[in-house]
Each structure stands twice: as C-alpha cells, then as structure tokens.
Amino acid sequence: MTILDGKKVSNDIKNEIKAEVDKLKARGEKVPHLAAIIVGNDGASLTYVGSKVRACERVGFESTLVKMPETTSELELLKKIKELNEDNDIDGFIVQLPLPPQIDTQKVLLTVNPSKDVDGFHPENFGKMALDMSTFIPATPFGILELLERYNVETNGKHTVVIGRSHIVGRPMSILMSRKGWPGNSTVTLTHSCTKNIATITKQADIIISALGVPNFLKAEMVKDDVVIIDVGITRVEDATHPKGYVITGDVDFENVSKKASFITPVPGGVGPMTIAMLLKNTLLAREQRKGS
Ligand code: GUN
C-alpha cells in the first residue's frame, strides 16, 4: 500500500511555483496577486482562507483578504466582485463558499470575470473543462489529478466510482476522470444521496473518489482488494481530548480500508493541501495569461 502524500507533493508544487516567482522577480516582472473574499465567520471557512493567504506568502505571491460581515447583502458582494474584476493589480480571486442564505451563489459565480476565476467555478470555465478546452480546473479536482499523475496511478480503462455530486468536487471529478487522456479514460459511476445499494457499486470500483462529508462512511467491506482511494472528506468531529476540541476526519475508515488499498490518501495531509497548491498554480496561470496588462 502506498500513501498518496498530498502534503509532500503540495510542498514540491509550491517549491516549483516559488522558483517561477523568483524568476519573475529577477526579471523585474509583476508577481501574481490572489484575492479571497470571505463572507461571515464560519470557523472552517476562515481556516481554509487563512491557509490560502499563508500559502501565497510562502511562494512569494501578493495576497488580499476581503472579510465581509455575515449580514452582507447580495448587492454589496456583487459590488465588491466588480471592484476586483476591474482592479488591474489582481490576477485572480475566489469567493469562499458556502455563502450566507441571503446571497444567491449562482449569481455571485456568474459575476466573477472568467479570466480571474481561479476556482474554475464560472459556467464558462466549467463548460470549457467539460469540453477538454484549456481553462482553470477547480482546485480540488485539479489536485486529485496531479496526485494520480505524480504517483503514476493507472486510470486507463479502470472503473472509477465518485461519491457525491457537488459542483466543487464530485461533478467535475466525474467529468475529468472520463475524459480522453491520462489521468482519465476511466469508466465513471457518479453516486449520490439517491443511489441505491451503494456498497454493491463501490465493491466494483478500481478507484473510489469520496467527496461526501460523512466521517468514516466507506468501510473495508465496501471495497475490493487493491482499490485506489481518494478521500476528499474533511469533517470536524468533536474530540475533547484534542487541544482544538475537534479532529479532522475523512469519509474513509482509513485504518481498515488502507489494509486493502493499493494507494490511499490520508486525512489530513492528502487532498486538502493539494487544493491549495493547485489554487496557486491557477493563479500563476492567470498572471501568465494577463501578461502585458
Ligand atoms: N469551499 C470549499 N471548497 C472551496 C473551494 O475550493 N473554493 C471556494 N471558493 N470555496 C470552497
């Protein structure tokens, strides 16, 4: 069994990005600038956005964090997005999800300029991804592809089962794993909350990508020998013995499933750090595309 070490690979990628930034600096060129908007005080979202900003510092990017109160109206947020669209110094930006209920997420995502949409959530970019056109691939799916590639995991002709149909992970992942090329060329089954007898499907999987958010959902008896496991779950589970009062738990019963797996991502230290590294990669790409502006 091989651990797909997202922490290590993401550090390698950050070092590669830093080397690119150093070259830009040496040539006196502008370094990439990422902005993040966060609305409200959700603890997990604040943690993720904080990690994204710290990662920018680590690779030499400029970063801007825009914190807006929980009571922010849709109009106020759209105004802020338009400001970032027009700010020539900002190369890319993200709006951290989820948003408070008074704000229509689809309207928000449609307002982001696609050329600055480093999350790849705008329908124009999502459509390009689905059509194999060059674009920003959402950071988590992009990170999973990168992990499969760097560990040389065979996906050609394999049966990939994706658990969860979210717009951020499950849906794009199902598209990417079925596309021509490597990683890809898989036969994909996308399962979700209405799927019946999910264990009979997961037992047939060569590769399982779980993005469900239910701690320890996937048990050893639900998988076959030599399965490849990608665990995207990151749920905070209360644990009084831990200094923070919680532990981050994945969708997969790691202790038992790992005994049957050929490759497996740990939680934490698997997909999570890869998401941040690929957001940086998309931001570098956005900067390259905006050169001269
Ligand atoms: N919320 C959970 N994952 C993500 C992500 O990748 N991007 C944004 N903007 N919000 C998220």
Side-chain angles (χ1 to χ4, degrees):
M1 183 269 294
T2 302
I3 298 273
L4 298 168
D5 187 346
K7 201 166 173 196
K8 183 201 167 289
V9 174
S10 70
N11 273 324
D12 293 346
I13 294 168
K14 284 185 210 163
N15 288 337
E16 291 159 19
I17 294 172
K18 179 155 191 323
E20 290 301 315
V21 173
D22 288 344
K23 278 192 225 162
L24 290 174
K25 281 185 180 161
R27 293 199 295 262
E29 291 179 28
K30 181 186 179 311
V31 300
H33 186 169
L34 174 71
I37 304 177
I38 179 155
V39 183
N41 298 306
D42 177 66
S45 290
L46 284 165
T47 306
Y48 300 148
V49 169
S51 307
K52 291 172 186 178
V53 170
R54 270 198 310 282
C56 282
E57 286 162 11
R58 149 97 199 271
V59 298
F61 285 7
E62 282 185 64
S63 63
T64 298
L65 179 57
V66 181
K67 275 188 177 170
M68 302 181 82
E70 184 77 33
T71 52
T72 301
S73 71
E74 188 178 283
L75 203 64
E76 285 168 318
L77 177 57
L78 295 181
K79 216 174 126 205
K80 180 50 79 180
I81 291 171
K82 284 176 188 154
E83 265 177 47
L84 297 182
N85 281 343
E86 283 158 22
D87 185 338
N88 215 24
D89 198 64
I90 304 274
D91 296 299
F93 67 96
I94 64 160
V95 182
Q96 187 65 27
L97 302 180
L99 291 165
Q102 73 274 19
I103 298 174
D104 179 346
T105 302
Q106 283 194 353
K107 239 188 211 174
V108 166
L109 300 180
L110 272 166
T111 307
V112 176
N113 180 338
S115 74
K116 295 191 177 188
D117 171 37
V118 286
D119 255 335
F121 293 168
H122 190 286
E124 181 178 317
N125 288 326
F126 202 94
K128 282 183 170 176
M129 177 206 66
L131 296 169
D132 297 337
M133 294 165 76
S134 162
T135 186
F136 300 116
I137 295 175
T140 302
F142 197 9
I144 294 169
L145 294 182
E146 193 75 18
L147 261 185
L148 294 172
E149 198 173 324
R150 294 204 184 207
Y151 279 89
N152 252 310
V153 177
E154 182 60 88
T155 61
N156 197 5
K158 302 292 183 188
H159 181 199
T160 294
V161 172
V162 179
I163 307 176
R165 57 181 156 182
S166 74
H167 295 171
I168 297 180
V169 187
R171 185 76 53 77
M173 211 56 233
S174 68
I175 295 168
L176 292 163
M177 290 301 284
S178 71
R179 72 179 182 177
K180 256 187 197 164
W182 177 72
N185 285 342
S186 260
T187 304
V188 176
T189 303
L190 178 57
T191 66
H192 45 75
S193 51
C194 297
T195 300
K196 298 205 171 83
N197 298 321
I198 194 164
T200 60
I201 299 170
T202 54
K203 256 190 212 161
Q204 295 169 35
D206 302 306
I207 301 169
I208 298 176
I209 300 170
S210 185
L212 190 62
V214 177
N216 296 315
F217 169 80
L218 195 75
K219 307 280 188 214
E221 57 273 21
M222 295 167 73
V223 306
K224 67 177 182 183
D225 283 336
D226 296 326
V227 66
V228 175
I229 300 282
I230 307 290
D231 188 351
V232 192
I234 32 168
T235 309
R236 290 183 177 194
V237 175
E238 276 184 35
D239 182 345
T241 66
H242 199 271
K244 284 187 178 163
Y246 63 85
V247 284
I248 299 292
T249 309
D251 287 353
V252 178
D253 175 6
F254 183 91
E255 191 187 336
N256 296 305
V257 173
S258 61
K259 289 176 188 152
K260 293 175 91 174
S262 55
F263 294 90
I264 186 166
T265 59
V267 176
V271 175
M274 290 301 294
T275 296
I276 294 181
M278 303 321 277
L279 175 66
L280 298 175
K281 200 152 187 176
N282 276 344
T283 307
L284 182 63
L285 191 70
R287 176 69 223 129
E288 282 166 3
Q289 287 171 355
R290 286 167 46 77
K291 246 183 196 167
S293 64

